[in-house]
Amino acid sequence: MHTIDHLRAAGLSETELTGGTLTVRSPIDGAEIAKVHQTPASDMPAIIAKSKAAFDAWRRTPAPQRGELVRLFGEELRKAKDDLGAIVTLEAGKITSEGLGEVQEMIDICDFAVGLSRQLYGLTIASERPGHRMAETWHPIGPVGVITAFNFPVAPWAWNTAIALACGDPVIWKPSEKTPLTAMACVRILERAMERFGEAPDGLIQLAIGGPEIGDALATSPDVPVVSATGSTRMGQIVGPKVTGRFGKPILELGGNNAMIVAPSADLDMAVRAIVFSAVGTAGQRCTSLRRLIVHDSIKDDLVKTLATAYASLPIGDPREDGTLVGPLIDAGAVDRMQEVLAQAKSEGGTVHGGAPVTEGVPAGGAYAAPAIVEMPEQTDTVREETFAPILYVMGYEDLSDAIAMHNDVPQGLSSCIFTLDLREAETFLSAVGSDCGIANVNIGPSGAEIGGAFGGEKATGGGRESGSDAWKGYMRRQTSTVNFSTELPLAQGVKFDI
Amino acid sequence: MHTIDHLRAAGLSETELTGGTLTVRSPIDGAEIAKVHQTPASDMPAIIAKSKAAFDAWRRTPAPQRGELVRLFGEELRKAKDDLGAIVTLEAGKITSEGLGEVQEMIDICDFAVGLSRQLYGLTIASERPGHRMAETWHPIGPVGVITAFNFPVAPWAWNTAIALACGDPVIWKPSEKTPLTAMACVRILERAMERFGEAPDGLIQLAIGGPEIGDALATSPDVPVVSATGSTRMGQIVGPKVTGRFGKPILELGGNNAMIVAPSADLDMAVRAIVFSAVGTAGQRCTSLRRLIVHDSIKDDLVKTLATAYASLPIGDPREDGTLVGPLIDAGAVDRMQEVLAQAKSEGGTVHGGAPVTEGVPAGGAYAAPAIVEMPEQTDTVREETFAPILYVMGYEDLSDAIAMHNDVPQGLSSCIFTLDLREAETFLSAVGSDCGIANVNIGPSGAEIGGAFGGEKATGGGRESGSDAWKGYMRRQTSTVNFSTELPLAQGVKFDI
Amino acid sequence: MHTIDHLRAAGLSETELTGGTLTVRSPIDGAEIAKVHQTPASDMPAIIAKSKAAFDAWRRTPAPQRGELVRLFGEELRKAKDDLGAIVTLEAGKITSEGLGEVQEMIDICDFAVGLSRQLYGLTIASERPGHRMAETWHPIGPVGVITAFNFPVAPWAWNTAIALACGDPVIWKPSEKTPLTAMACVRILERAMERFGEAPDGLIQLAIGGPEIGDALATSPDVPVVSATGSTRMGQIVGPKVTGRFGKPILELGGNNAMIVAPSADLDMAVRAIVFSAVGTAGQRCTSLRRLIVHDSIKDDLVKTLATAYASLPIGDPREDGTLVGPLIDAGAVDRMQEVLAQAKSEGGTVHGGAPVTEGVPAGGAYAAPAIVEMPEQTDTVREETFAPILYVMGYEDLSDAIAMHNDVPQGLSSCIFTLDLREAETFLSAVGSDCGIANVNIGPSGAEIGGAFGGEKATGGGRESGSDAWKGYMRRQTSTVNFSTELPLAQGVKFDI
Amino acid sequence: MHTIDHLRAAGLSETELTGGTLTVRSPIDGAEIAKVHQTPASDMPAIIAKSKAAFDAWRRTPAPQRGELVRLFGEELRKAKDDLGAIVTLEAGKITSEGLGEVQEMIDICDFAVGLSRQLYGLTIASERPGHRMAETWHPIGPVGVITAFNFPVAPWAWNTAIALACGDPVIWKPSEKTPLTAMACVRILERAMERFGEAPDGLIQLAIGGPEIGDALATSPDVPVVSATGSTRMGQIVGPKVTGRFGKPILELGGNNAMIVAPSADLDMAVRAIVFSAVGTAGQRCTSLRRLIVHDSIKDDLVKTLATAYASLPIGDPREDGTLVGPLIDAGAVDRMQEVLAQAKSEGGTVHGGAPVTEGVPAGGAYAAPAIVEMPEQTDTVREETFAPILYVMGYEDLSDAIAMHNDVPQGLSSCIFTLDLREAETFLSAVGSDCGIANVNIGPSGAEIGGAFGGEKATGGGRESGSDAWKGYMRRQTSTVNFSTELPLAQGVKFDI
């Protein structure tokens, strides 16, 4: 099936794909796929106003009915899975299995949000006053601005949208400028569900394609109470304060600098497989990609050797082809940046294995590079920074406490893991004195979270949580109520005030 | 008992009360109580470093043991209740019953936090992969900066501190410059508990007395992951973005512009009592003080008349004396500001009842004013603003939906209430289309929350939550973990990546 | 569409419908529909053993995968809704809309259980010992025996089954002998989902058609840890102790004697509609049917008059026909029993309106009766007993506290409601001193619960809970764990025991 | 301090201790301590009626106020700890540290219940109907009958009572006939708290001393909705069905047959200490005592040798003396029974180490025996039965799955543990295919639970849960409510019924 067929199947028309000012190129071969129309920043007030109007209707729709829309969305996604996966591959360069996996994540979150739609549990609470009833209730909060990044062009939006819709909030989506087609396809799929649903208000989901000025409009509008932004730490440092400064709620999913500690007792076969997938999958461009390997001195050299061998045999090339495990980076700039960083690491004492740009055996015009392993003498500034490329730094350790200290000594706090079969090591890693990340795993890589757990990280990762657990609370407002049904008016804390 | 005796009983020494650069005056009579030593801003790095060191020990102390310290604190507070209440009255000008009520709130939160210390519940979560275990755990997060305001000099600090200590976090407290003595007394009382406890690390609780530069040090330090600030919206607009900008977590409790809707079916006797307490208590200087009355047209004139009569007979004067219901404002500036605002309101068409400064029958040198009722033709800009003084604006309504719209049409979103005996009206007010405040009550005033519910508000109130429910989560970090105890390495979402 | 077509569409074959020893008759016209094969009691050990074997596999299947089976079941139910609804109508005599509503409830619980399958939340808990981790986890418990009654032939089974499957438990179903066809159809529909799912173990769902000996086998087998039984209080009194006596967990949903209090402020139009539906729907054979009306003296006579008029015009007849609101009772015995009870009530001073058997304008051979209103001078023994027929007793009250006392003065405790617009009355009814039932509503009838709330009742209703909230815990076993990952061995409560 | 002094300090008078029909003897030396007055079974109706009356008042007392009584009880227990601990030692024969530990558990549960008293969280739930509010609330349920056993004469009562009181329920306590003095002392201590509290209704806590007829009165009374019984499986098999048969809620804490699996990787030093404490503490008479040791074949012989040596040096004797680790069994009958069981085990192939009655170096008249280790060739019927004595059966295993199968192959399901440093083994033991017990620990013994976790077990242990987590729900009734505040009357599941 050709590209254009997937786009057609997803419902995108010729008119939408041509004549616009935003050129969309595939990282696979650099070829132009479409010229997409951008949203003028001047449209944003009207878009936000429309969202606000949609909110007024949507919040009155009972949550289980809202859940029914999400259920239908899940059904439509199931039908469109292959097409949408293919567009993800085309536009973001992911291998087919990962493209489909990302769509599966969308489907999973729909199921989860449908369940939530009959919960959205608040609390009834024991009151200290006779004849009083106390409760905490969660209500819809208003339009949610969703800003997403190229590397996960669809799943994070779906997390936000499935939950937001169930919670009673409309969504305005600003996708990455590098992946507008997946966004357009997603909205089209959701629209099919809305049509079947019948009663979704106009403006419930809106797309705003464009650059930072679109994000700025969302970040600064007092009518967008929640802004959920996935992207770089730098972006978060701009968006976060803007939202807070006007008393909105930011949900930030920013950079990670994810590490794995490999202990002497680790099942090394499993570790190697986990490392390669986590470090190399999506060409090292996942926010949860493995970037740092902290290996016990006793096994470090052997492990590096094994990894280097494994890396050497990785099939690099067109992500649409069966067998390919390493597709392209997002663009040529990313390959260049990778080379710069490798040079920096070398200058700091690093020994680099692999990492060179690849031009043979890959589609011409694409942005390919061999994944790199870099043995570092210590955790340098270069290591502390997140580079969005398949670079894996390797450092040694002697005591677990040192390994944990090194692990935590980076600005970011997204994902982390340890490979060990030793109970004490594993539990220590998960304890209050262990990993300081939002995600901490044992014997699985840092990448590939299930949607049932809250997703997000601490420190420079931004602190936001999406997806499972009670992350939905970020999309609602909390109301604490006391109802006095007695004929008395006692004050709390025994205060007396008799007029 | 004299002032000095209460201070002595609370453990404050002559040295601490004299020779400093910060003059403490009582709003009761403007008399100087003490000259307190301020914390140089240059000390803040050391203070924060000490807190960080204390954190390292405290997070290793099991939570139920931490709870035991909080329990002992509650015991010490029970013993010191009268003294501490008297100092609150002295320094903040509250009537005796309210001063004691504030201490009672401290005691209550201790009991609550002790209970929490054996909970701090995370979740175990069903995993989609065989041989995998998934969990969400809450861990201590680090030093908590607490910034408090003069009007509640002790309770909000205690909310933060009891919860933070149970959660494993040290506290650095910046009290209002107007109420350093209550702060010093509180710390002294907590120190007694720490002494009995025996194993609290040095630096677990630290006091930093001073101006905005202290707050700024807390807001900008990357080593203070949580900053909980109570105060004006203006302050929050400065502090919030600073904390977010360095990826800390702000907990903001800012201004309120709290209203009551009085419906035709209201129990007017109860309503009148609730209104007078809520509007006049603490001389209108509670963040939850009643500031707006939205009354059904059919009962408005009668209600205003009744209120004006009640207001006219309110005993104004020395808050230490039995029978006094209206004590002083915090200082002469507050009385002046009140007069300006009343003039403004008049210029916008308001009819003012009461509100004049009071100098007779009150201690000389104090900042007294008669509480004011202002009938407004509509909700003007002056009404939309929070003035920290006993001014109650009254507006009429015909339909409940209009009343709710007027109610919500202010920047703030702290507390709110309706007086009605009509079930439909009450439930509508509490529903998704009702009050947009963090607190919404029925048949009790906006003021005087129980500690079991989460306290805080939406919009310009800052969005933070303290005290009950799961507000404790704001003082911890969340960790989502998956432990693979199988010998397989399945990827989530069915992704395949076989090397 | 003919009966046989619906049965065929549901997948039932000629062989299954003929040649058996259990004659199935429709209450609509008493006609024989099928002769169904019964499960010999001697088969039960093998059935239970097969269920146990299925359990061993099913508990290893991750919960979200189990949820996927339930999701597919929901899809199949959506497809089969019309057919299954028609079979419910045929076999249980419900009007079409109610038959479909019951199937909708099955669909709803599937959505809910899918959501649960990524939750099944246990707790992580703060431990008092350093280096210790504490958690509570919920695990699958084993085969669940489900015993259902004729009046809700499919929904309660679906509640149990959707939840049990998500929780990891196989199900053995003993349906009412009066409604085996709906049961057979349900299993067939679930089997379609299992086929699509692919990996469901053999014996995951088994049907055992027969009499009390089947129920007894489930109640007494130590290999059936949970027995969920819906039916009469008499049945519960037999089954409950048998299950408890061998340390199984009974979930009992037994009789109700559901009342409505109608207060002077009630919206009488709404009340009348609610009363008629609740008392007359399913010909008064719901476990939540309204059986007692406790009306304020001031409005009692008028209300009875209005009701009597409404009752007189109710379309009684073939439930398959559009417009019919009152279908047949389950069989002729039920009509006879209704007549006896009406006679008893009369002998206790009751004034009976309606209630006579109906033979004209209804299908010959069916068991039809006009719904009855019975004004009672007081709450007599006859009123205190549940009669499974459309009899509504009406009693007066003066004070709400008397009404509540009368309300609670019956053995059963399933469902209840009040109609009032008075906030105080409504809240009192819901408070600790109000209704003692498991379900307590305001301004809706006792009948027709949503699946998001836990369903079940107190006292002689048996105490079980099914469907929403945390009712799923009844289908799992709870494990409290402490993991010591330190190198010390401290004892709880500070006990010392040094060898 | 002498016995009598502790009794006096606890508030027991001469009159109470003499002249009764129940002779209380100390297991330490068999000496008579008191002759206590028994409650005639004929008094039970009045006692229950009084409790019911107390309930009516207590349920109206707000939960946080009820919590205040529990807090005061905790304070009084702290003061009386030494005395009450000494009486436990005297009457139950526990060593001093264990006696005090049991009182500490009472104190801990009070702190926990105080925290609960501002929670007792129900849920607010999303409703599928517009203008409807759904909630689940927990209300007080009524008198709670508490039946306790001699081996833990005070803690289980305190668990039940602290929680029940916070939940709004009065308590009627039937202690073991062997330990009435501790019970009398406990009630006296609680009465001190009630006196300080001031407003506790008469009859809130009542003591009924006597035999099975007292338990029977509680089990069969319809006015005692909850009966919480700790004791033997045999007792539970009698009490449980009686309570269920009248639709009460039994909370059963029955026998355990608790095992430890010792894996090859276990920290054997820690394991040995854990084994000795768990098997020998309280002379093997804890419900959580370690009774079965399932040891990997590779380390079994060594471990038995080490244990035998450790056992040989255990100080047996007067539990009041410093250094004693093994006190008396409860009476001579228990020693006899132990001898019989050892003989049985021997006849089944067991090799017995230790276990003989001890008469030298111990107080004359006491019931002392040396703890026994019994190597068994397999898990025989004798091993499967719980014997309340310090007998530890040891069996070998080769594969962990066999060890778990053997572990679960007993009727009881209370507590369990594994000693291993292997993550996979530990997690497998805690997983759905691991231990089937209510308590499952890693690297700590089966004995000595923290009060924060729910306590209780599965299968013949009775299924009840007490103490932490949401065990409090067993002491309340659940109410699911829907409030319609709209002017429409939609039915759930879209049912139509228009009259």
Side-chain angles (χ1 to χ4, degrees), chain C residues 256-426:
Chain C
N257 195 346
N258 318 292
M260 178 191 293
I261 296 176
V262 186
S265 71
D267 179 324
L268 285 177
D269 269 3
M270 278 174 62
V272 166
R273 276 184 293 140
I275 292 164
V276 176
F277 169 68
S278 307
V280 162
T282 321
Q285 298 172 115
R286 292 187 164 213
C287 46
T288 54
S289 283
L290 180 65
R291 308 205 176 285
R292 298 181 294 140
L293 204 56
I294 304 173
V295 189
H296 193 263
D297 290 338
S298 64
I299 54 172
K300 182 165 161 274
D301 291 348
D302 279 358
L303 181 59
V304 169
K305 201 175 296 173
T306 308
L307 286 173
T309 309
Y311 267 51
S313 69
L314 285 170
I316 303 175
D318 190 324
R320 294 167 296 195
E321 282 175 17
D322 276 1
T324 299
L325 292 180
V326 185
L329 274 79
I330 190 63
D331 55 24
V335 176
D336 293 348
R337 173 79 191 132
M338 178 179 172
Q339 302 308 312
E340 284 166 32
V341 168
L342 289 175
Q344 254 173 25
K346 214 177 276 182
S347 77
E348 288 167 0
T351 307
V352 176
H353 307 258
V358 174
T359 50
E360 301 208 359
V362 299
Y368 298 85
I373 296 168
V374 186
E375 294 178 86
M376 295 297 294
E378 60 179 336
Q379 186 161 273
T380 64
D381 282 354
T382 298
V383 178
R384 281 201 186 83
E385 210 171 301
E386 179 190 32
T387 301
F388 236 51
I391 304 175
L392 179 66
Y393 300 104
V394 186
M395 290 150 298
Y397 80 89
E398 206 176 324
D399 291 328
L400 181 61
S401 58
D402 295 339
I404 291 174
M406 190 190 298
H407 176 276
N408 291 349
D409 188 23
V410 295
Q412 309 85 349
L414 181 48
S415 189
S416 63
C417 61
I418 189 170
F419 267 71
T420 181
L421 296 181
D422 183 298
L423 176 79
R424 285 172 176 160
E425 289 186 341

Side-chain angles (χ1 to χ4, degrees), chain C residues 417-471:
Chain C
C417 61
I418 189 170
F419 267 71
T420 181
L421 296 181
D422 183 298
L423 176 79
R424 285 172 176 160
E425 289 186 341
E427 294 286 351
T428 299
F429 183 74
L430 299 181
S431 78
V433 299
S435 162
D436 64 1
C437 287
I439 298 171
N441 294 332
V442 175
N443 295 335
I444 56 175
S447 199
E450 298 186 21
I451 59 94
F455 181 88
E458 299 295 313
K459 302 195 295 185
T461 301
R465 289 299 187 284
E466 293 171 354
S467 198
S469 183
D470 67 352

Side-chain angles (χ1 to χ4, degrees), chain A residues 7 22 32 40 51 89 106 127 149 151 166-167 177 197 239-240 327 339 360 369 410 445 489:
Chain A
L7 293 170
L22 181 62
E32 180 181 315
S51 194
T89 290
M106 302 174 78
S127 165
N151 62 325
C167 289
E177 292 168 85
F197 181 69
V239 168
Q339 302 308 312
E360 301 206 1
V410 295
L489 196 75

Side-chain angles (χ1 to χ4, degrees), chain D residues 202-392:
Chain D
D202 209 36
L204 187 58
I205 177 77
Q206 294 180 86
L207 193 59
I209 293 174
E213 69 287 358
I214 302 292
D216 196 67
L218 295 172
T220 55
S221 168
D223 290 327
V224 181
V226 177
V227 176
S228 176
T230 307
S232 67
T233 290
R234 213 182 53 84
M235 179 275 288
Q237 245 159 341
I238 297 167
V239 168
K242 279 185 183 169
V243 177
T244 310
R246 52 131 178 122
F247 303 116
K249 304 184 190 216
I251 299 176
L252 301 178
E253 304 285 347
L254 311 175
N257 195 348
N258 319 293
M260 179 191 294
I261 295 175
V262 187
S265 70
D267 180 326
L268 285 177
D269 271 4
M270 277 175 63
V272 166
R273 277 184 292 141
I275 292 164
V276 176
F277 170 67
S278 306
V280 163
T282 320
Q285 297 171 116
R286 290 187 165 212
C287 45
T288 56
S289 284
L290 180 65
R291 309 205 176 283
R292 298 180 296 141
L293 205 56
I294 302 171
V295 189
H296 193 264
D297 289 337
S298 63
I299 54 172
K300 180 165 160 271
D301 291 348
D302 280 357
L303 182 58
V304 170
K305 201 175 297 174
T306 309
L307 285 173
T309 309
Y311 266 52
S313 70
L314 286 170
I316 304 175
D318 191 323
R320 293 166 298 193
E321 281 176 17
D322 276 1
T324 299
L325 290 180
V326 184
L329 275 79
I330 190 63
D331 55 24
V335 176
D336 293 350
R337 173 79 191 130
M338 179 179 172
Q339 302 308 311
E340 286 167 29
V341 168
L342 288 175
Q344 255 172 23
K346 215 177 277 182
S347 76
E348 289 168 359
T351 307
V352 177
H353 306 258
V358 175
T359 49
E360 299 206 2
V362 301
Y368 298 86
I373 296 168
V374 186
E375 293 180 85
M376 294 297 293
E378 59 178 338
Q379 187 161 273
T380 63
D381 283 354
T382 299
V383 178
R384 281 201 188 82
E385 210 171 300
E386 178 190 33
T387 302
F388 237 51
I391 303 175
L392 179 65

